[in-house]
Amino acid sequence: MRLQQAPIWHYINTCQYRYDGRTSKYNTAPENELTKKHMADLIFKSVRMGWMPFYPQFNKNTLELSNEVESKDPEVIKKLILEKLKSKEIEYSVADPDADINFPRLWYIWRGNAIAGSMKGHEFALKHYLGTHTNLIAKDNEEKTEEVKWHDIAPVGKMDLVVDLNFRMDSSALYSDIVLPAASWYEKNDLNSTDMHSFIHPLSAAIAPVWEAKTDWEIFRNIAYATSQLAKNILIILRLILLLLLLHTIHLMKLLNLKLKIGILANAKLSPEKRLIR
């Protein structure tokens, strides 16, 4: 499993950076080397320095890249990949997001109305992701990127397939190629949470899923099974080459996770009316 910050991923891939400028234009901050730079260039730098992830990582399929490396020694592999990056034989995808090779092609949407709301940038998604009608009126900013490669003509319709796992016919479902009918809140045993509340909402099935609807778990399981069956005839055993975040970042995440666990345990000992986490 690979984790990615969704706002940054959409910001780059929906070409929103093309309509953006220097951070100093909309942030009240002292003038320095960071505020002078374009936001997309800063994102590229953070990926290049190992501060945060961005997928796809390279402008070459990592499965194909693994075939080019004959050695099984991890240290040799690291050295070869580093040399390829230095020589520009392979490059970071985030360095040229508008190149065909770096387009996101398949998008699974699970819960939330991504296209019309949660991804932020509805009109940009319609134009650059879906290539459909849009009321976008923004123009390319004159302050172009310096490190991220700039294309004079922005790509339109990057996605080949959009699949939405949903129990509502919201905007994301309306624009999707395939809608997988999910069981509603009271048709499954599940957990629900949001980024705006400190609690988790457990759900209990009151009735069985109606018609062709299935629980989220069943849908994910069935997709994984069908994919693994197809993979037997398509994929051979390959190694996967991935860049990892710097260790100090991973240690920080572990520390924060530990503090969260301690906080939950301490919270559980409080009386119900004093609990922060319910």
Side-chain angles (χ1 to χ4, degrees):
M1 183 175 67
R2 308 176 198 178
L3 298 179
Q4 165 75 58
Q5 310 95 315
I8 291 174
W9 193 82
H10 290 304
Y11 173 79
I12 293 293
N13 285 312
T14 58
C15 299
Q16 291 185 51
Y17 73 92
R18 298 179 63 91
Y19 310 90
D20 208 353
R22 303 288 184 267
T23 57
S24 58
K25 296 294 183 180
Y26 50 86
N27 281 331
T28 303
E31 186 175 319
N32 54 55
E33 291 303 315
L34 293 178
T35 57
K36 290 179 182 178
K37 291 184 175 295
H38 195 288
M39 181 59 69
D41 289 332
L42 292 175
I43 292 172
F44 176 35
K45 180 179 181 180
S46 68
V47 174
R48 189 175 68 247
M49 299 296 288
W51 298 338
M52 66 182 184
F54 192 91
Y55 299 100
Q57 292 187 322
F58 306 120
N59 61 348
K60 177 175 282 190
N61 190 313
T62 51
L63 295 174
E64 296 175 359
L65 188 60
S66 66
N67 282 339
E68 299 176 7
V69 181
E70 297 180 355
S71 175
K72 293 184 179 180
D73 185 347
E75 296 304 317
V76 174
I77 295 174
K78 291 177 187 178
K79 185 178 179 180
L80 289 173
I81 298 301
L82 180 59
E83 290 175 353
K84 288 178 180 290
L85 285 169
K86 286 181 176 180
S87 65
K88 303 293 185 181
E89 184 179 341
I90 58 173
E91 297 187 35
Y92 294 97
S93 293
V94 69
D96 190 5
D98 291 349
D100 291 1
I101 190 67
N102 297 322
F103 287 0
R105 301 291 185 178
L106 171 60
W107 188 13
Y108 277 96
I109 302 174
W110 173 57
R111 292 187 180 174
N113 190 2
I115 292 178
S118 61
M119 64 152 282
K120 305 298 184 291
H122 174 59
E123 299 295 340
F124 301 103
L126 296 184
K127 179 178 180 179
H128 300 292
Y129 273 174
L130 307 181
T132 187
H133 169 75
T134 172
N135 294 317
L136 183 64
I137 60 175
K139 304 295 183 183
D140 286 351
N141 199 298
E142 294 181 358
E143 295 181 341
K144 296 179 172 56
T145 53
E146 296 177 359
E147 293 191 63
V148 173
K149 186 176 180 179
W150 185 274
H151 293 247
D152 291 333
I153 300 176
V156 174
K158 293 182 175 181
M159 295 288 182
D160 289 335
L161 180 66
V162 180
V163 181
D164 188 22
L165 195 163
N166 212 330
F167 58 79
R168 295 169 293 197
M169 190 55 72
D170 56 21
S171 299
S172 294
L174 290 171
Y175 280 111
S176 294
D177 300 292
I178 299 173
V179 179
L180 302 175
S184 187
W185 298 126
Y186 299 105
E187 297 173 344
K188 58 190 173 186
N189 298 315
D190 205 340
L191 295 173
N192 186 31
S193 65
T194 77
D195 56 356
M196 296 186 292
H197 304 291
S198 59
F199 57 84
I200 295 175
H201 182 199
L203 310 170
S204 298
I207 61 172
V210 298
W211 303 102
E212 294 182 333
K214 292 180 172 58
T215 66
D216 305 55
W217 168 253
E218 287 179 305
I219 294 174
F220 287 136
R221 181 197 62 191
N222 293 346
I223 291 175
Y225 177 77
T227 302
S228 63
Q229 293 299 109
L230 289 172
K232 292 179 180 179
N233 301 320
I234 298 174
L235 295 177
I236 58 174
I237 298 176
L238 295 171
R239 289 167 295 170
L240 188 62
I241 296 176
L242 291 174
L243 295 180
L244 298 178
L245 295 176
L246 292 176
L247 287 179
H248 69 78
T249 307
I250 295 174
H251 290 325
L252 176 61
M253 291 171 68
K254 288 181 178 179
L255 178 62
L256 291 174
N257 186 44
L258 177 61
K259 287 185 176 180
L260 176 61
K261 288 180 179 178
I262 293 174
I264 291 174
L265 290 173
N267 180 79
K269 295 179 181 180
L270 298 175
S271 58
E273 63 274 8
K274 293 183 178 180
R275 289 181 184 175
L276 296 176
I277 306 174
R278 297 189 179 124

